[in-house]
Amino acid sequence: MDHILVVEDNHLFGTVVCKMIRQQLSCKLTWVENYADARKKIEDRSNNFSVALLDLNLPDAEMGEAVDYAIAHDIPSIVFTSRFNQQLHEQIWSKGIVDYVLKEGPDSLNYIIKQIRRLHRNRSIDVLVVEDSALIRNHLVETLRVQRFNVFSATNGEEALSVISNNSNIRLVITDFHMPIMDGFDLVRKLRRQYSYNDLAIIGLSAHEDPTLSARFLKYGANDYLVKPFSQEEFYCRVHQNVDMLESIRQIRQNAERDFLTGLYNRRYFFNYWQKTLNPNKPTAFAMLDIDHFKQVNDTYGHDSGDQVLREISALLIRETPADALVARFGGEEFCLLFNADKEEATRVAEHLRETISRQKIPVEGQQQLQVTTSIGLYCGNCAEIEKIIRCADEKLYLAKQLGRNCVIATTTIEGEELHDQ
């Protein structure tokens, strides 16, 4: 859990900030009203603050000493200030802060929450800086690390391609134009042949005054462009804007591919991607699972309890299936699994799931616990037509229902004589 330190002597503002943080974020919160208490909290290493929200001017520290102290202890710091001018702007940014917030009203409070969330997410985002000047490269790397990004670096485009090939989690590339061996234009062109705008953002940089550079960078595939020298504040705004764009696209994609209730892949995703998840050199195992008498659960305990059963079964399927299996909610109380396995292994997996589900105690409203069973139809073979595979597994599922439910019916053939194993 993140631990946030708030240092603010204005009791009204501090109360409002802390209330909003508690309402919108799941975190531990410590609020102090002066520099002396802030030092004590920071010196206590058990606190391990993930971010500090700091008033620039405190009664016992009028020159921003609380900010300096927090940054010296490697705590990402967001500064509160009620006044603003160019001199103060330069002074604040020179300290190595994450950002500053003017005490102006509700919008300022919302911005604070947004920046705290941004810092939290940045820990899982890898960024690559490509710059041949060691001085500029190191400055950019350290500037990004203030925001808690995981940062890699390269001195030219060729080296950058090698870094990316070894680090598949890189989501943002910041590249200079003029570099030896491979310049920024060639790097952008090569990256765009492998990565779409939805998967990788690119920001071009250059100190050249050529007005055509920005357009050329964008035409070759960059998302954005900055002319050096640029302010730290503008740099952060551009970086965050591009990362926010990637995250929005990922969220839209997830909403389109995932079932809202269970978080499993949905039927649409299954049909679009099933071939990519399989090894064509191994037999395909496809199982259809249906929760037995699920309508009775809804009728007896209510739809909220029915939803809880679906969530619990979904979590169990993810937990208990092979790591390479595609698990999807096909609709209602019906699920499917797709993975590479021979009949013996696939049947073992299906039987394990059936047995594990039957033992699972699912908490529902009124502190009651339900136990449900599943019927499973299983196909295992080398048929390449997914429609036939689904129809075959569905027939076996129907047979499992006819034979009394809570059983697995498996087959290796689509048509003709079929050997059923129960």
Side-chain angles (χ1 to χ4, degrees):
M1 178 183 292
D2 285 346
H3 191 176
I4 299 174
L5 173 65
V6 176
V7 184
E8 172 57 60
D9 65 311
N10 183 311
H11 193 77
L12 176 60
F13 186 75
T15 299
V16 173
V17 168
C18 291
K19 180 180 180 181
M20 178 168 274
I21 290 174
R22 290 190 177 102
Q23 287 176 340
Q24 298 195 34
L25 302 175
S26 176
C27 65
K28 185 178 179 181
L29 182 64
T30 297
W31 174 25
V32 297
E33 298 185 24
N34 57 67
Y35 177 44
D37 288 343
R39 288 189 58 151
K40 291 177 183 178
K41 296 296 182 181
I42 293 173
E43 288 167 0
D44 182 354
R45 296 187 178 183
S46 65
N47 284 318
N48 193 26
F49 294 112
S50 55
V51 60
L53 309 179
L54 308 166
D55 190 0
L56 185 64
N57 303 114
L58 297 166
D60 55 345
E62 298 181 355
M63 304 301 292
E65 291 89 344
V67 180
D68 295 330
Y69 195 76
I71 291 174
H73 285 77
D74 196 32
I75 303 174
S77 300
I78 299 172
V79 174
F80 299 135
T81 179
S82 55
R83 57 190 178 88
F84 185 81
N85 55 52
Q86 187 60 36
Q87 181 180 355
L88 183 60
H89 177 269
E90 294 175 0
Q91 175 192 343
I92 292 173
W93 282 110
S94 68
K95 293 178 180 294
I97 63 170
V98 168
D99 210 338
Y100 69 91
V101 178
L102 293 174
K103 299 178 182 179
E104 294 180 323
D107 290 341
S108 298
L109 299 176
N110 291 330
Y111 187 78
I112 292 169
I113 299 298
K114 177 183 176 182
Q115 289 304 87
I116 294 173
R117 287 174 171 157
R118 175 80 272 155
L119 275 173
H120 180 82
R121 296 196 301 272
N122 285 353
R123 300 173 197 167
S124 61
I125 298 174
D126 292 355
V127 179
L128 173 61
V129 173
V130 191
E131 169 64 65
D132 61 319
S133 166
L135 181 64
I136 297 175
R137 183 175 64 253
N138 292 337
H139 172 69
L140 291 175
V141 168
E142 290 307 313
T143 299
L144 288 163
R145 283 177 177 161
V146 167
Q147 297 280 335
R148 290 312 188 252
F149 288 106
N150 304 313
V151 190
F152 298 84
S153 64
T155 60
N156 58 67
E158 188 174 280
E159 185 180 335
L161 292 176
S162 177
V163 172
I164 291 177
S165 68
N166 293 318
N167 299 276
S168 60
N169 196 44
I170 289 175
R171 292 292 172 264
L172 172 64
V173 174
I174 300 170
T175 179
D176 189 25
F177 159 60
H178 186 68
M179 297 180 294
I181 304 177
M182 183 189 293
D183 66 20
F185 288 165
D186 285 339
L187 173 61
V188 172
R189 280 193 292 247
K190 289 181 181 295
L191 287 175
R192 279 293 171 243
R193 291 169 191 162
Q194 301 179 59
Y195 305 96
S196 73
Y197 286 86
N198 297 341
D199 299 314
L200 181 72
I202 304 172
I203 300 176
L205 307 175
S206 180
H208 290 258
E209 297 181 358
D210 183 348
T212 68
L213 283 179
S214 60
R216 291 170 68 190
F217 252 122
L218 296 173
K219 286 181 177 181
Y220 289 142
N223 301 73
D224 209 342
Y225 177 78
L226 276 168
V227 178
K228 296 183 287 187
F230 43 80
S231 71
Q232 187 171 336
E233 185 175 14
E234 181 183 10
F235 179 69
Y236 282 155
C237 288
R238 298 293 185 92
V239 167
H240 290 162
Q241 176 177 287
N242 280 277
V243 173
D244 286 345
M245 177 200 67
L246 288 178
E247 290 182 339
S248 295
I249 292 172
R250 184 176 62 184
Q251 186 62 53
I252 292 170
R253 180 185 293 169
Q254 180 171 318
N255 291 342
E257 296 175 349
R258 297 276 183 173
D259 173 58
F260 176 78
L261 176 65
T262 65
L264 295 180
Y265 286 117
N266 58 24
R267 191 185 186 104
R268 174 182 176 179
Y269 178 90
F270 174 84
F271 279 105
N272 286 339
Y273 294 97
W274 77 274
Q275 288 180 318
K276 298 178 182 180
T277 67
L278 297 178
N279 184 338
N281 299 318
K282 295 181 179 180
T284 297
F286 177 78
M288 294 287 288
L289 297 82
D290 188 89
I291 301 174
D292 297 326
H293 303 297
F294 184 72
K295 185 177 184 301
Q296 292 183 14
V297 174
N298 282 329
D299 291 345
T300 304
Y301 300 97
H303 287 278
D304 287 345
S305 295
D307 288 348
Q308 181 62 21
V309 170
L310 292 172
R311 284 190 289 264
E312 291 280 343
I313 296 302
S314 299
L316 185 148
L317 291 175
I318 291 294
R319 189 171 64 247
E320 300 293 335
T321 51
D324 62 343
L326 176 63
V327 182
R329 184 184 178 194
F330 234 50
E333 65 272 23
E334 198 168 53
F335 304 86
C336 70
L337 279 74
L338 185 68
F339 56 103
N340 288 119
D342 58 24
K343 184 181 179 184
E344 181 179 355
E345 174 62 16
T347 303
R348 186 196 64 78
V349 170
E351 284 288 358
H352 171 72
L353 289 173
R354 182 198 62 78
E355 184 179 350
T356 305
I357 290 171
S358 68
R359 295 197 309 263
Q360 180 84 353
K361 295 181 179 180
I362 302 173
V364 294
E365 282 190 27
Q367 297 184 337
Q368 299 182 76
Q369 289 187 326
L370 295 182
Q371 287 182 271
V372 297
T373 61
T374 54
S375 299
I376 302 175
L378 174 65
Y379 165 80
C380 187
N382 294 311
C383 179
E385 298 182 48
I386 191 62
E387 293 82 5
K388 289 184 178 180
I389 292 174
I390 293 172
R391 185 166 59 249
C392 180
D394 209 31
E395 290 172 357
K396 302 313 150 202
L397 172 60
Y398 181 73
L399 182 58
K401 295 284 189 181
Q402 287 183 317
L403 293 175
R405 296 180 169 83
N406 191 24
C407 64
V408 176
I409 301 296
T411 184
T412 58
T413 56
I414 297 291
E415 298 175 349
E417 291 296 321
E418 300 176 358
L419 177 64
H420 303 302
D421 295 333
Q422 181 174 352

